[in-house]
Amino acid sequence: MKILVLGNGVHTNKRILPALKKIQEVDSITIADKNVSEDIDVNKKLKIINYNHISSIEDSYGLSIIATPPYNHFESFKKINKKSEKILIEKPISNNLEWIFSSELKKYLENKSVFEALMYFHHPIWEELINIIKSKNIKKITTEFSVPHLPKGSHRYSKEFGGGSLNDQGMYPISLASELIDNTYEIKNIKIFTENDYEVDLSGELEILIDNTIDFKGTWGLGKDYKNFIKLIDTDGKSYEINFFYSKPDGTDTKIIIKEGDSHKEINIGVYDQFKIMYQDIIQNNTSKFNYSNYINLMRRYDIYKNIRDEIKF
């Protein structure tokens, strides 16, 4: 399969390319980059082209991955939607809410040709988590994904480029809450924070009641101590905790830590490249693994997202 990647930043080089190179079905990769003036043949399987040359490309691609800043996702989609069998868009799928709720995007989502990329749903730990929730009387879930400050020049600090913590770290707790909803939900509390000298949000909190049963609290942040966990508590007080739940550093052996009173038990899940699994799922047409990105689920996710974004007054 021929792959097109739009965007040549840190995420592309640290996560996307290493994962794609491990997949046997990938025949060639083309990267579209705004910072190159001339097209470059790196080797037989890898080529870098100028982003503005996309419209003149005659090739078609089995999969295109949009990994540009959020403000650019809609523009990138328009450039490639007729050249790609499937399109995988990094979260958030866009910061253009008008397009997200449009009939145009609905058509592509229902035809299963456009997907939002949330890699943690493809890791085996996700099925383990669902099994715990289904088999135990879970009453409370707390989760957080926060990271230290990035270099000052990062687009994450630019309102124009769709920056802010909500559009990055916040999408993980929001997507998790959305996927755990079977029928009803009630947003109990939303908080958004920033600091002087910043034009974007830097952290936030979401409290939501899921199906009148589970009290869910999600926290996220940019410029905070690193945290990346989920903790579940059942009606008997037993807790189930997973560290490195969203992002998995290379070589991470994911574990479920179960605590009840003084007892402590660990269940090893193993080491997996969740990016490789996600790309394999779409390349091999395992689209059921992308249920989180079907039309109904994605609309629910962005309804919650919109409620939070509406609280950003700066």
Side-chain angles (χ1 to χ4, degrees):
M1 179 180 286
K2 295 166 68 174
I3 310 292
L4 174 64
V5 181
L6 284 78
N8 193 23
V10 173
H11 181 66
T12 293
N13 287 277
K14 185 177 180 180
R15 295 297 185 191
I16 297 176
L17 291 181
L20 288 174
K21 289 176 181 178
K22 297 175 185 176
I23 300 173
Q24 186 175 0
E25 293 93 336
V26 174
D27 298 315
S28 66
I29 304 169
T30 298
I31 301 172
D33 184 359
K34 286 188 174 182
N35 296 317
V36 296
S37 55
E38 296 182 1
D39 297 351
I40 305 168
D41 285 313
V42 178
N43 55 50
K44 290 182 179 180
K45 287 192 172 186
L46 181 61
K47 183 177 183 179
I48 302 176
I49 65 170
N50 183 280
Y51 177 86
N52 294 318
H53 295 176
I54 294 173
S55 299
S56 60
I57 291 176
E58 295 182 0
D59 289 346
S60 59
Y61 297 90
L63 171 63
S64 291
I65 301 170
I66 298 177
T68 56
Y71 83 99
N72 183 257
H73 288 179
F74 181 39
E75 174 193 323
S76 296
F77 174 83
K78 289 189 292 184
K79 281 182 176 290
I80 63 168
N81 68 316
K82 294 182 180 178
K83 301 177 184 291
S84 305
E85 181 182 343
K86 291 185 174 66
I87 299 173
L88 186 64
I89 307 177
E90 288 289 331
K91 51 76 187 158
I93 200 165
S94 176
N95 65 339
N96 183 334
L97 288 173
E98 183 177 348
W99 181 57
I100 288 175
F101 294 110
S102 70
S103 58
E104 178 189 26
L105 182 58
K106 178 181 179 181
K107 176 183 70 175
Y108 287 104
L109 291 168
E110 291 182 336
N111 289 339
K112 295 186 177 180
S113 58
V114 173
F115 305 86
E116 186 173 43
L118 285 164
M119 69 291 179
Y120 75 97
F121 286 126
H122 299 263
H123 193 284
I125 197 67
W126 173 246
E127 292 185 5
E128 296 292 336
L129 178 74
I130 294 302
N131 287 336
I132 291 172
I133 293 173
K134 287 183 176 179
S135 62
K136 311 295 181 182
N137 294 317
I138 301 300
K139 66 174 184 177
K140 184 177 182 180
I141 296 175
T142 55
T143 184
E144 180 172 354
F145 191 32
S146 294
V147 301
H149 273 303
L150 303 173
K152 287 185 177 181
S154 170
H155 74 269
R156 295 296 180 190
Y157 298 111
S158 168
K159 183 181 292 187
E160 178 187 357
F161 283 11
S165 187
L166 172 62
N167 280 344
D168 191 0
Q169 297 82 25
M171 291 306 302
Y172 293 103
I174 292 169
S175 60
L176 174 61
S178 178
E179 285 309 295
L180 296 180
I181 297 167
D182 283 331
N183 297 298
T184 64
Y185 68 92
E186 180 184 355
I187 295 176
K188 295 288 191 177
N189 191 29
I190 295 170
K191 293 180 181 178
I192 292 288
F193 306 97
T194 189
E195 296 176 10
N196 292 336
D197 301 326
Y198 290 94
E199 62 181 23
V200 297
D201 61 287
L202 292 181
S203 61
E205 296 178 4
L206 169 68
E207 294 181 31
I208 187 169
L209 178 63
I210 297 175
D211 296 324
N212 292 312
T213 304
I214 299 174
D215 286 314
F216 178 99
K217 182 177 180 179
T219 306
W220 58 90
L222 174 58
K224 300 174 65 177
D225 291 339
Y226 185 83
K227 293 183 181 179
N228 175 9
F229 74 90
I230 180 173
K231 183 176 182 179
L232 302 84
I233 299 176
D234 66 18
T235 52
D236 295 324
K238 182 186 291 188
S239 68
Y240 310 80
E241 186 166 352
I242 304 166
N243 289 312
F244 300 107
F245 178 67
Y246 299 111
S247 177
K248 317 285 193 303
D250 292 339
T252 300
D253 187 357
T254 311
K255 300 176 182 179
I256 302 173
I257 302 170
I258 303 173
K259 295 180 181 179
E260 185 176 19
D262 295 328
S263 67
H264 176 108
K265 178 182 178 183
E266 292 186 0
I267 300 175
N268 287 356
I269 304 302
V271 179
Y272 296 88
D273 183 338
Q274 57 190 10
F275 284 95
K276 177 188 175 185
I277 298 171
M278 177 175 65
Y279 300 138
Q280 278 183 319
D281 284 340
I282 196 167
I283 289 169
Q284 297 173 355
N285 290 312
N286 295 329
T287 53
S288 63
K289 298 293 184 71
F290 284 87
N291 280 341
Y292 67 86
S293 199
N294 66 30
Y295 177 71
I296 293 175
N297 288 2
L298 191 137
M299 289 300 104
R300 181 173 60 212
R301 177 154 69 249
Y302 279 93
D303 183 59
I304 297 171
Y305 167 88
K306 182 179 183 300
N307 275 277
I308 298 171
R309 203 170 91 171
D310 287 345
E311 294 297 313
I312 300 177
K313 309 298 183 184
F314 41 87

